[in-house]
């Protein structure tokens, strides 16, 4: 993460989510519709709660793009929280608006509430919830959409699919309906695939230049993801060397493989095969059937605060993972091929 | 990775492995024997090959430590390659010694060979093998030992254990013996546990400040690791929200949990429970029973180059993971508590 | 620049300037009026052009602050460009609005135009001017104001003054009036002083941890600054060791100095004396009396494009330098004292 | 400083100075003789003390280079301190060797002693002197020599010269002889010039991407440098816009300039003219005729500790500055042109 660098900001019910991306070369087409499509993909999927219906996220670009092309200067992306009008006072930046409306003090297990309150000294857990909420992934998906637009110019594509929801590997909607009725939540497993990557992104020369490590950070830091693997990594410990490694053959003078257990990464570098990443998402902690917990204000046992939430968000999580991995890849891409404009990069990457 | 920063260097059969660590406060005791013990742990474990017997790694500290205590200045760690005398010409830095002895051109599937040769333009794959080799993890273990010595002053301890080798969850040695006879190699699954961490290392406020992400990068970038999970992350997708999340209770006025599925991390922060990381290591690609591959020099099909290797190195891998995770944690620790000396840190962290 | 990290964005006539600051601990009071006062200081000073009268910059905080206090989450600062309504089409992010209104191709010597067009491949130099303009320093001043608010809690204050304009060390306004009449521009020298810094910010242990170096980067990268010195650095080469170095004495058992040639920095660290930084600003390149230059569109000699500009902006430059240096100092401060909240920092820094 | 990253380590009388450079592409020739020549240049110059005669620094490369060419892996440079045999016990890393021989407690004004002792809690100022000493610049010159070797492949050259010593702009040796007799020390002013740089290194798009800022950090963080300017920056405040800016003309269809007040940097980018950096070095603080100071052990007034030192080291300082600036430039170069090997870079940079 060096050439394509970005910061994101924004509270769940604050005025807006914002991102600044620095390091995008000049001359790339930025298609707002594509970004909005990605935002929509994040909001879709069976099992989402009420908020997804309230808000259709739309990006606004306030810098770095002119007449549809990147200028080379930092790009600002803004997603307004449409719900903000109802939260204006509650989330106000002004000391004059101080109120304890919507404040709460009962920790939600599985969330940042407890550790966050110890760390930052917040009594009102609202101050933690607002940023630790997965709402912030909307702007990360927008950043990832910019990364994808860059990669698209070089023929690189991304896709994802859900592999499992709860214990089911096929009938996802039924599984989700059942969980909703029970007032519980479900996690799942998903897969992200990038195609058409050049050989040699990432490097074995230093631990922090390995692309598998960078991708693992990107995916594991998505809220609720608890496991990340590359290719058939979940089974890597069970297979022998003979079974796991992808032998190399020649076909019409070109090197080919018949398998891709390695998921496209050897020695921390892309090897020309599809890049495959899988991850497990835990069930969302906020449930209608609440968990036992503790009220930090008076140290008494109670049940967890419930805030409108989803039953299952694995599809969304896969979209977020696509976006995050796109950021890791585009950074390697920019580092490898150099160049300050699309034109220069195209010349360099031939 | 910001305050405790380090670079490592060194080829597998080069003169020495070296690391420089910058950012260690003054006044910490650096026990060379402890570092050497850690190096020995890395070299141990059933299933290791011949080299482990040749070399007993020992660290030499050439800067940053005086009379057993850190000075606050960068620490240099050196591990000489004892085998170097036999490789002096082959690995010489001088153009005068140019030779093609020990050079090879047949890609080893599962290794960095193919992608590395495309990336760096090396014809002699020796130029890739020498750095992509897991030999370099020796100096990383030394760096991690320094991190552990810092954490030890605050009562934080690390441990690890092998959970599975191949398909066996108990009789590891028999499994390894069998593999050796068959000329194949085995991977496995292991677990690392850190105890006594303060609440609030890492943060939910920005994706790249989440400790789970940093740990995932650290572990996934270990050679041969293909899957990383936090706590019971491997099963996170299968369990319902009711089953997975660790409820909170009171015991004598203190918050307690009866489970630790989260592996000590909620919202990307330590929550006071044990930090638990599990990972899957693929089998080592270099096998006596060789894989089909391609000779890059003349583009013909052949079988892979064999270089002295281990049958199974999962125990070593767990030790390396301990070291890597210690580096991630110590960085968070230094950032959280500040201070330029042990004494100042002790005051701050009370 | 590690703990207090920020990105800024925005074109001179774009919709808005934006900054995201990540790394501010929780619990700090953010006084919008103070930020606006700083923005006003940047816009003031004798010799400014028309734009300063059009726009009174005002900050809007859209994340990271609630009820007047920092949350610990990233802070977004936005300054709307009031002039944008007149530039909406010209600076549109949409390809549909493509126009060559306000485009130009004659390089302005002293500006980024020439190198920028070669680097980014822009034919329309408007694409460079918009970001290379000093307009962007408005949002940097807002970021610096946040840094100052943090430092203020620890009693640290900043101030600056103009030392020289053109050849005059006193009658600045007369000098500026004269230049305006002649259609030329003037630079100057200024001084920034920070008081009440703790001993030991920065470090000698590694070149990139020296605070003098960080400050030099911060100040030299301000548009139009061409020389930076610490303390009496401008005369450092002329004075002997006996004259330059600040001897140490005891007064009531406390170490005191009678001079401060070193400007408060020894060995790259604050030494408890006032931190003094001086800098030279070159005259603004855009002049009514234009410079000879080249039109890049047709490679003909011509005179430079003139865009509304200031005669002299040294006072503003000093305010920007204050802001920049505050950022460098606050980062050291956060690194040294650690802590995730004001309260924790106050405990640590006693 | 992102792609060409390095850490240096080593105490003045420790076993060795060490550097690790990560990020050098494969295939560059590393000429040890050239590095040694640069080390010799650093040790030369009229006015140097005894140590320069004791030690002729020589580099040893222990990783990253094979048969005279870079491998793409991290490069380790080692300079042994020849004096170490006399300091073995005094600078030992082992607690068993604890001794107070060569310890001292009287602060040397102008050095890191005072602030360093407060910061790191060292009573024995030897623990500070050893790292804050300019001895460490030897290894930085070696790192810079590697940077120069990379730049050399693209025709970029560096040079420097002394402009002033004390109050003399010509008869330097006489000035130094006089100072030596008086027991005082002298600083000076020097100039570094890089030729043949491509247009567009650095950028105006974000303050921390401006090359002038990076260079200023690099030079200001050299021990004893107190002022840095680009081109005619020392006079930038005195000249009008008409006088300072470098007008552009056409000559045989090519853009030319008749002046270079800007020192080759406009908008923080190289503009194709010579890159010119000037700096002022303060006189070395350690003098035979000692300064008034304080003994920190017993808080009494005294005179400063004297350790063998130079009368004047401005020539050496210029060589160090060359090395440092080369590091800043090579990083920009690698970022701009991308590539993982010399061959790839050559293709990209055409």
């Amino acid at each position: 993460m060096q050439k394509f660098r970005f910061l994101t900001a924004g509270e769940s019910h604050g005025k807006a989510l914002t991102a600044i991306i620095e390091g995008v070369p000049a001359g790339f087409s930025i298609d707002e519709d594509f970004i909005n499509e990605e935002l929509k993909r994040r909001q879709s999927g069976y099992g989402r709660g009420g908020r997804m219906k309230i808000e259709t996220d739309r990006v606004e670009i306030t810098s770095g793009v002119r007449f549809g092309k990147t200028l080379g200067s930092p790009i600002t992306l803004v997603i307004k929280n449409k719900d903000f009008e109802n939260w204006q006072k509650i989330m106000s930046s002004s000391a004059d608006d101080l109120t304890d409306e919507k404040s709460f003090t009962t920790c939600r297990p599985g969330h940042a509430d407890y550790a966050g309150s110890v760390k930052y000294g917040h009594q009102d857990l609202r101050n933690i919830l607002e940023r630790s909420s997965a709402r912030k992934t909307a702007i990360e998906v927008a950043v990832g959409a910019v990364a994808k637009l860059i990669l698209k110019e070089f023929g690189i594509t991304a896709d994802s699919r859900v592999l499992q929801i709860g214990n089911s590997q096929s009938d996802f909607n039924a599984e989700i309906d059942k969980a909703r009725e029970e007032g519980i939540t479900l996690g799942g497993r998903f897969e992200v695939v990038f195609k058409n990557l050049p050989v040699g992104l990432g490097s074995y020369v230093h631990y922090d230049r390995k692309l598998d490590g960078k991708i693992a950070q990107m995916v594991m830091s998505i809220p609720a993801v608890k496991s990340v693997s590359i290719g058939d990594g979940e089974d890597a410990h069970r297979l022998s060397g003979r079974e796991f490694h992808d032998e190399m053959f020649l076909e019409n003078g070109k090197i080919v493989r018949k398998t891709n257990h390695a998921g496209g990464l050897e020695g921390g570098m892309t090897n020309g095969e599809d890049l495959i990443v899988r991850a497990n998402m835990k069930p969302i902690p906020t449930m209608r059937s609440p968990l036992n917990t503790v009220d930090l204000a008076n140290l008494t046992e109670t049940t967890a605060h419930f805030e409108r939430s989803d039953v299952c968000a694995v599809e969304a999580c896969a979209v977020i993972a696509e976006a995050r991995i796109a950021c890791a890849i585009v950074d390697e891409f920019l580092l490898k091929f150099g160049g300050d404009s699309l034109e220069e990069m195209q010349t360099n990457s031939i």
Side-chain angles (χ1 to χ4, degrees), chain A residues 115-127:
Chain A
S117 78
V118 173
K119 183 180 182 79
Y120 290 109
H122 291 310
Q123 261 92 58
D124 179 2
L125 301 181
R126 166 75 44 201
N127 288 334

Side-chain angles (χ1 to χ4, degrees), chain A residues 290-301:
Chain A
L291 297 163
N292 289 306
T293 188
V294 169
D295 186 327
L296 292 181
N298 51 18
L299 276 191
T300 51
E301 294 192 341

